[in-house]
């Protein structure tokens, strides 16, 4: 079992940055790809970004490409989502996820999910 805990959400003005971390614990000896998803009120959960175990491959939704950067520090069992140029439409609950396969994350599936952190962007 892998436990994922997101933090670092909050209220930020449009254009501002935010960098929520996702800390993994438990059976972290496995090779897991990590990803971020988000769900806005009244909308389905959507894929945001994913990173392979070694960090060599990253993938992004078109809506965040060029503004968000996913990274990870395996020595700390932590993944990050650097969010820049935030827009009101980025307001959502952001979820961290882990799966052995990066492509699973890209298709919206994951073995493990965090509880989510709220991000609100004011105009």
């Amino acid at each position: 079992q892998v436990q994922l805990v997101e933090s670092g959400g909050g209220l930020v003005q449009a254009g501002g940055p935010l960098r929520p971390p996702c800390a993994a614990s438990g059976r972290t000896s496995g090779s897991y790809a990590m990803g971020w998803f988000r769900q806005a009120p009244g909308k389905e959960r959507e894929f945001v970004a994913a990173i392979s175990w070694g960090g060599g491959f990253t993938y992004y939704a078109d809506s965040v490409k060029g503004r968000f950067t996913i990274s990870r520090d395996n020595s700390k069992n932590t993944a990050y989502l650097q969010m820049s140029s935030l827009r009101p439409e980025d307001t959502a609950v952001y979820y961290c996820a882990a799966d052995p396969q990066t492509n699973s994350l890209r298709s919206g599936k994951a073995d493990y999910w965090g509880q989510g952190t709220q991000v609100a962007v004011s105009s």
Side-chain angles (χ1 to χ4, degrees), residues 12-108:
V12 62
Q13 284 194 328
L18 211 57
R19 188 178 183 240
C22 169
S25 61
R27 201 169 182 177
T28 56
S29 58
S31 302
Y32 292 98
M34 302 285 288
W36 286 90
F37 294 77
R38 67 186 182 186
Q39 187 167 20
K43 294 189 176 181
E44 304 246 328
R45 184 175 61 200
E46 63 175 357
F47 168 78
V48 174
I51 186 168
S52 59
W53 161 248
F57 296 93
T58 56
Y59 306 91
Y60 298 93
D62 288 343
S63 58
V64 306
K65 209 171 287 185
R67 299 188 299 122
F68 291 10
T69 302
I70 188 171
S71 63
R72 66 189 298 164
D73 184 342
N74 288 342
S75 69
K76 297 180 180 178
N77 294 321
T78 302
Y80 304 91
L81 186 66
Q82 176 70 53
M83 301 188 285
S84 304
S85 302
L86 281 162
R87 305 166 180 167
E89 53 264 39
D90 294 318
T91 295
V93 177
Y94 283 73
Y95 297 91
C96 178
D99 194 275
Q101 301 294 329
T102 312
N103 283 338
S104 292
L105 295 173
R106 297 176 69 192
S107 65

